[in-house]
Structure formats: C-alpha cells, structure tokens
Amino acid sequence: MIINHTSPNRIKTIKRSGYSTEVEFSGCLFFSDDIYTMTMSTATHHYTINVNDTDCIHVSDLEDVDLDDSSALEMIVHYGQALGFDLDEDLAYELLDCSSTAWDHFQGEDVCFLDWYIQGIQGRVARQMGFVACESEDEQGTVYIVDMYNRENLLSYKGEI
C-alpha cells in the first residue's frame, strides 16, 4: 500500500532530535492513506512510501524494547518525569500501547509534548521489532508512524501540491 506524508519543507536529512521539552518525534514521520496537510505554509511537499500489511504493527502490539541505552519504557518515564508528571513503568506501558493516553492521566500544556514524544517512541519500537511502521490513530484518523532516521531512501518525493 502507498502511504503519504506532507511537509512544509523539502526533506533532505532526518535526524534524531535531542532530548528536550520541544516537539520531539525522535526521527519519525507520520503517514496516512490520504493526502492531508497540517501546515499554513505556502508550499506543501508530498512524499510516499510503499509498505505491505506485514510491514506494519498495530500500536496495541508494541513491546518494551531497548532503544539506545535505555528501554522504551524507561525513556517514557524519564521524559514524563522531566516534564513534571508522576509516571512509572506500568503507566508508561499503557501509554506505549495506547491502552490509555497521556490526556487520560495528566493536565496542562506539557501533556502534548509527552504525547508527541510517546508517538516517536512508538515508531522507534516498531522499527526495533522489525517493522517499518506503527499503525495508530490521531486526530486525522489512521496514522502510520515510521522511524525514518537514516532511512531517507525509503521516501519517494512526489512534488509540491
């Protein structure tokens, strides 16, 4: 299946962002069955990748795996605690597999940063488990989170739309 990503900028290199309280997707891009834009930019660049159903894992099937020097759950706990949230590994697992969301447990403007960070971790976990994409849901519907760090070659540029 062909899945779509749009960006206000041409994509040259995808980096793993540093640990911060800014928007942090950890090198992941978000794809959809449909082409949609979420930018006010005058330019919208369209990219696709081709994946098979077997390349995708549903978010509810994710497991705790090692990423860098920590487990995915440890990374979620550490990031959440840095934002001031009372988070343990049990809750981190619920957030990882979307059996609950950060919005179910916490309040305040920093919840969005935790939520975005978890989505990046979900994409990285899917890759570590041998999948290309993590299938999940967001405000647009079905979304495919793909860890694109050092995988720019998977992107097919379709031009401006």
Side-chain angles (χ1 to χ4, degrees):
M1 89 181 121
I2 302 293
I3 53 178
N4 304 278
H5 173 78
T6 58
S7 173
N9 303 306
R10 286 290 305 260
I11 298 171
K12 293 180 176 51
T13 303
I14 299 169
K15 300 177 182 175
R16 284 244 193 272
S17 303
Y19 183 81
S20 70
T21 57
E22 297 176 13
V23 176
E24 170 63 72
F25 291 117
S26 201
C28 293
L29 296 180
F30 293 74
F31 293 80
S32 172
D33 294 322
D34 301 315
I35 300 170
Y36 69 91
T37 61
M38 295 183 65
T39 179
M40 299 298 288
S41 174
T42 57
T44 301
H45 299 275
H46 178 214
Y47 295 87
T48 63
I49 62 172
N50 190 0
V51 294
N52 297 316
D53 288 339
T54 57
D55 294 329
C56 302
I57 184 171
H58 193 269
V59 69
S60 62
D61 295 322
L62 294 177
E63 300 172 0
D64 186 25
V65 297
D66 286 336
L67 302 172
D68 301 327
D69 296 330
S70 301
S71 77
L73 296 182
E74 290 170 336
M75 292 174 75
I76 292 170
V77 168
H78 185 61
Y79 188 82
Q81 289 176 347
L83 290 172
F85 299 121
D86 184 21
L87 209 72
D88 61 21
E89 284 198 10
D90 290 334
L91 179 53
Y93 189 78
E94 285 183 34
L95 301 176
L96 177 68
D97 75 0
C98 283
S99 51
S100 70
T101 71
W103 299 97
D104 295 331
H105 300 277
F106 307 113
Q107 296 179 2
E109 61 186 49
D110 287 342
V111 177
C112 59
F113 296 109
L114 177 59
D115 199 42
W116 292 326
Y117 181 79
I118 291 167
Q119 288 177 316
I121 295 296
Q122 291 165 338
R124 292 181 64 190
V125 166
R127 181 177 182 175
Q128 187 68 19
M129 290 178 66
F131 296 91
V132 174
C134 174
E135 181 182 345
S136 189
E137 298 286 325
D138 73 2
E139 64 278 1
Q140 301 297 320
T142 300
V143 65
Y144 299 91
I145 307 168
V146 181
D147 181 359
M148 295 298 298
Y149 178 68
N150 285 334
R151 294 164 84 186
E152 295 85 356
N153 63 310
L154 295 178
L155 288 173
S156 177
Y157 182 65
K158 299 303 180 183
E160 280 191 50
I161 55 172

